[in-house]
Amino acid sequence: MITFDRVTKRYPDGTVAVDDLSLEVPTGGITVFVGPSGCGKTTSLRMINRMIDPSEGRVLLDGVDVTTVDPPTLRRGIGYVIQQAGLFPHRKIVDNVATVPQLLGWDRRKARDRAMELLERVGLDTGLANRYPFQLSGGQQQRVGVARALAADPPVLLMDEPFSAVDPIVRASLQDELLRLQAELHKTIVFVTHDIDEAVKLGDRVAVLQVGGHLAQLDDPATLLARPADGFVQEFLGRDRGIRRLSFVPGEGLRLRDDLTVPVSADVASARGTAEPWLAVVGPDGGPLGWAATSGLPKSGTFEAVPLAPYGTFVRGRDSLRAALDAALLSPSGNAIAVDDSGRAEGVVTREVLDEALVLAAREASRVAGETRAGEGPGEAGGAREAADGR
Amino acid sequence: MNWLTDFFGDPAHWSGPDGIPARLLEHLAFSAAALLLAALIALPLGLWIGHTGRGAYFIVATVNVARAIPTLGLLVLFVLLLGTTTVWPVLIPLVALAAPPILVNTYEGVRGVDPDLRDAAYGMGLRGGQVLGRVLVPVALPLILLGLRLSAVQVVATTTVAAYAGLGGLGRFIIDGLATKDYASVAGGAVLVVLFALAVQLLFTLAQRTAVSPGVSRRQRVR
Ligand SMILES: Nc1ncnc2c1ncn2[C@@H]1O[C@H](COP(=O)(O)OP(=O)(O)OP(=O)(O)O)[C@@H](O)[C@H]1O
Ligand SMILES: [Mg+2]
């Protein structure tokens, strides 16, 4: 556990970057520091590994004041990833990753083996091991940065905007990779970002900092989105907070209809006379192919000959209500196709089912928001609460 | 043009204390001694100032002074002061000539290393000396070698004036040749100095190739 105990950092020029910050970073979870530029995120993070020392207060790592530990020794036990990866340009990838194990005196062989293992772990081709950093793409370099930070298996990982210099697609895959790794490794991670979407995606807990280093709110992402502590947080969370909160509502419980799918090999005659305007056509491997309009079916033949409209899917049991809603919005029918992990269609979630789920989610959100903030919540939450109470 | 064949073809020029091999060795010894001394002073100083950031004004001062003082003037001054019984009157100006490029380039090289890289190195848990030795020096090496090369070439050229002070080296062929109107000797000496300087260039190019990591020079390896 990492504890900030009334920490203040005043730079020599008088700038107060962090002001009386107290918070706890629990062991084995991802805690995200998020906030606008200059709010003191980097300063706070760097006080954990003593790249910066506090002016007042203490930072405790498992109860030990970090300023009592010799900085290099402390840092070898804490993984550190920065935005530009900061790889050593003169050393091969494998040697970059083996940096800390070598500092710790592991023998060459063991350090090397460990480095290779980690390259694989972070999703890199081990064929890259003998390249130099300049021969890698930005995304690959970032992965190496993560592998290097993990090399000596430190219990704590500090990450300062590690993914903000890569394009959105690479960023998303790096985020997924981090979540996958974390599910295996259970590190205590402090992750700094100014991107609220990244914060709610990665964080088990999100600390929103305000300029001047004030902690505005510390909560799990769903609560944060449902119940911003004040106007600053609300504004920082942005416009589609309600929609984004749906990412934390599981799509698992959505009722499925199995009578709205039809195999592509079926005869169109089987669908004649149905009252349903759209049917989801499923291929021989069980994967969805598209939507068929029942009004325009040919006289005879199979569904092979029917023109299909585009569709959206979500993975039931894994994806959120937001993904289900998105899938529905991608279909002309307004219905979402649910698939399993291997992409086989399980059934269809209709507009009506989604509608019910949305209403439930809205009620739940307002209940959470109303719980401890009765009477002083933002107007919209208050209004929703009345609706919920009137149930 | 047959001056050159006259000079290099004469077997008498290839032996004895004033033959080409002996003069070449003297030239080499002078140049090497001057460069070595300069490097011993300027390298550690440049590394230290670049690494700690302390005393950067010293670099500026050195550059200005070095630009202002003519090496030849310094040489004459020292010969007048110290006489010609030792090599110091020649060596001191040569060292003074050789040190500034090494100092400035070493400093610039170390100071110019990407701050993120430095930061990452400390963040990994490297100590100050390890950051310098394992990260800053290898990354700054192209500039450090450039400083050494600039110095070496200047020193080799300027060692020629050692002949004025009655000392040896390839300059003797030129100075003595001028005095006796032996233009074959002047031309031959000049050619030797040029070849020597080229050899030094080549040596440093090779050093650059072998010592600088391909990751820094960004040479693609065909694998
Ligand atoms: N070395 C320094 N000397 C003086 N002021 C500094 C120093 N480093 C940071 N600051 C100031 O402290 C405040 C917080 O800086 P910090 O780098 O922690 O912000 P940040 O939240 O990480 O911002 P960003 O999202 O832009 O990275 C800023 O006002 C910054 O200008
Ligand atoms: Mg920052």
Side-chain angles (χ1 to χ4, degrees):
Chain A
M1 186 165 71
I2 302 165
T3 312
F4 284 78
D5 178 19
R6 310 207 57 178
V7 173
T8 294
K9 175 64 192 180
R10 205 173 295 108
Y11 283 108
D13 67 356
T15 311
V16 179
V18 177
D19 185 22
D20 197 20
L21 178 67
S22 292
L23 66 81
E24 274 179 5
V25 174
T27 301
I30 301 182
T31 298
V32 178
F33 290 176
V34 69
S37 185
C39 69
K41 305 179 293 288
T42 297
T43 304
S44 303
L45 187 80
R46 285 160 69 87
M47 286 193 282
I48 299 172
N49 65 353
R50 289 200 70 188
M51 295 295 282
I52 297 172
D53 280 336
S55 317
E56 283 161 37
R58 299 178 307 161
V59 178
L60 308 171
L61 183 59
D62 292 328
V64 179
D65 184 343
V66 292
T67 55
T68 61
V69 187
D70 159 59
T73 311
L74 177 76
R75 292 172 192 151
R76 288 171 197 180
I78 299 178
Y80 187 44
V81 188
I82 58 176
Q83 185 178 344
Q84 299 297 344
L87 300 182
F88 301 152
H90 60 293
R91 309 190 74 189
K92 292 179 176 173
I93 298 305
V94 59
D95 298 319
N96 261 286
V97 177
T99 303
V100 180
Q102 271 169 3
L103 284 175
L104 292 172
W106 296 21
D107 73 53
R108 259 188 86 75
R109 177 83 193 224
K110 191 177 156 208
R112 224 190 134 78
D113 288 349
R114 172 76 180 156
M116 295 304 263
E117 177 198 327
L118 272 160
L119 286 177
E120 256 171 62
R121 263 240 154 105
V122 299
L124 280 175
D125 179 358
T126 48
L128 300 180
N130 285 317
R131 291 211 191 163
Y132 288 94
F134 80 94
Q135 296 168 311
L136 266 54
S137 72
Q140 289 170 331
Q141 291 189 26
Q142 248 354 302
R143 284 175 198 263
V144 176
V146 173
R148 180 172 68 171
L150 289 170
D153 206 16
V156 177
L157 204 57
L158 308 180
M159 311 181 83
D160 193 351
E161 307 209 19
F163 307 148
S164 45
V166 293
D167 71 64
I169 295 175
V170 174
R171 188 181 316 146
S173 82
L174 286 168
Q175 291 165 345
D176 293 339
E177 199 77 29
L178 179 67
L179 287 173
R180 198 185 51 70
L181 268 176
Q182 172 66 352
E184 291 169 19
L185 301 175
H186 308 292
K187 301 286 180 194
T188 303
I189 299 179
V190 184
F191 190 106
V192 164
T193 178
H194 56 252
D195 175 0
I196 184 68
D197 288 315
E198 184 168 64
V200 297
K201 175 173 178 183
L202 296 178
D204 295 310
R205 304 202 317 155
V206 177
V208 183
L209 299 179
Q210 203 167 350
V211 175
H214 302 284
L215 178 62
Q217 187 167 3
L218 173 61
D219 261 313
D220 64 275
T223 311
L224 186 73
L225 289 167
R227 194 205 323 158
D230 56 25
F232 166 76
V233 178
Q234 189 177 331
E235 190 168 324
F236 187 73
L237 290 173
R239 288 224 136 256
D240 25 352
R241 179 158 70 80
I243 297 276
R244 281 189 280 146
R245 213 193 77 87
L246 294 180
S247 303
F248 300 95
V249 179
E252 212 154 27
L254 294 169
R255 208 163 4 95
L256 286 189
R257 280 187 51 184
D258 53 11
D259 58 331
L260 295 182
T261 52
V262 56
V264 69
S265 58
D267 200 296
V268 291
S270 63
R272 194 147 303 125
T274 175
E276 295 298 335
W278 295 94
L279 290 176
V281 180
V282 176
D285 61 350
L289 297 175
W291 291 98
T294 52
S295 55
L297 289 178
K299 302 249 174 316
S300 62
T302 65
F303 277 91
E304 306 265 13
V306 179
L308 299 178
Y311 65 98
T313 63
F314 75 101
V315 183
R316 216 165 76 103
R318 176 147 60 84
D319 284 346
S320 65
L321 182 54
R322 184 179 181 177
L325 186 62
D326 190 58
L329 292 172
L330 290 173
S331 306
S333 58
N335 297 340
I337 303 178
V339 297
D340 62 14
D341 274 320
S342 54
R344 297 166 57 90
E346 288 192 316
V348 170
V349 176
T350 61
R351 273 197 309 271
E352 293 72 26
V353 171
L354 283 170
D355 198 40
E356 278 169 37
L358 289 175
V359 171
L360 278 178
R363 285 193 183 146
E364 169 64 16
S366 3
R367 195 187 54 74
V368 170
E371 228 159 44
T372 54
R373 296 176 46 78
E376 47 144 342
E380 52 177 292
R385 203 178 121 232
E386 274 159 36
D389 289 348
R391 163 154 59 131
Chain B
M1 205 56 231
N2 45 13
W3 284 343
L4 285 184
T5 42
D6 283 355
F7 179 73
F8 288 108
D10 185 351
H13 282 147
W14 288 97
S15 63
D18 51 3
I20 294 171
R23 291 296 184 215
L24 206 62
L25 265 180
E26 281 170 354
H27 206 99
L28 182 68
F30 269 132
S31 308
L35 190 66
L36 195 73
L37 279 174
L40 280 177
I41 298 165
L43 271 182
L45 201 60
L47 290 176
W48 186 77
I49 298 177
H51 183 42
T52 60
R54 260 175 285 178
Y57 60 88
F58 185 80
I59 304 283
V60 181
T62 309
V63 177
N64 290 337
V65 171
R67 283 222 188 96
I69 297 182
T71 310
L72 195 62
L74 211 57
L75 184 81
V76 172
L77 185 71
F78 274 92
V79 170
L80 288 178
L81 284 175
L82 303 175
T84 51
T85 46
T86 62
V87 296
W88 292 108
V90 176
L91 216 47
I92 291 173
L94 283 179
V95 171
L97 173 77
I102 302 177
L103 179 66
V104 171
N105 284 287
T106 303
Y107 164 75
E108 290 289 351
V110 172
R111 201 200 51 158
V113 172
D114 181 0
D116 278 342
L117 186 60
R118 203 183 254 263
D119 202 65
Y122 279 108
M124 297 284 103
L126 275 75
R127 292 180 189 280
Q130 293 171 325
V131 173
L132 181 64
R134 298 191 194 183
V135 181
L136 300 184
V137 170
V139 174
L141 202 55
L143 265 184
I144 296 176
L145 287 175
L146 173 71
L148 286 168
R149 193 182 77 197
L150 291 175
S151 285
V153 171
Q154 284 194 35
V155 164
V156 165
T158 314
T159 300
T160 316
V161 302
Y164 276 117
L167 288 165
L170 295 173
R172 291 308 296 252
F173 293 124
I174 300 174
I175 306 285
D176 295 353
L178 283 173
T180 60
K181 299 205 182 334
D182 176 358
Y183 295 115
S185 171
V186 175
V191 166
L192 285 172
V193 172
V194 168
L195 287 179
F196 198 112
L198 285 178
V200 169
Q201 289 271 15
L202 188 70
L203 190 77
F204 273 96
T205 308
L206 287 178
Q208 181 101 10
R209 274 282 160 93
T210 45
V212 176
S213 158
V216 172
S217 56
R218 307 212 155 188
R219 263 179 284 126
Q220 297 278 355
R221 280 222 189 141
V222 186
R223 331 184 26 89

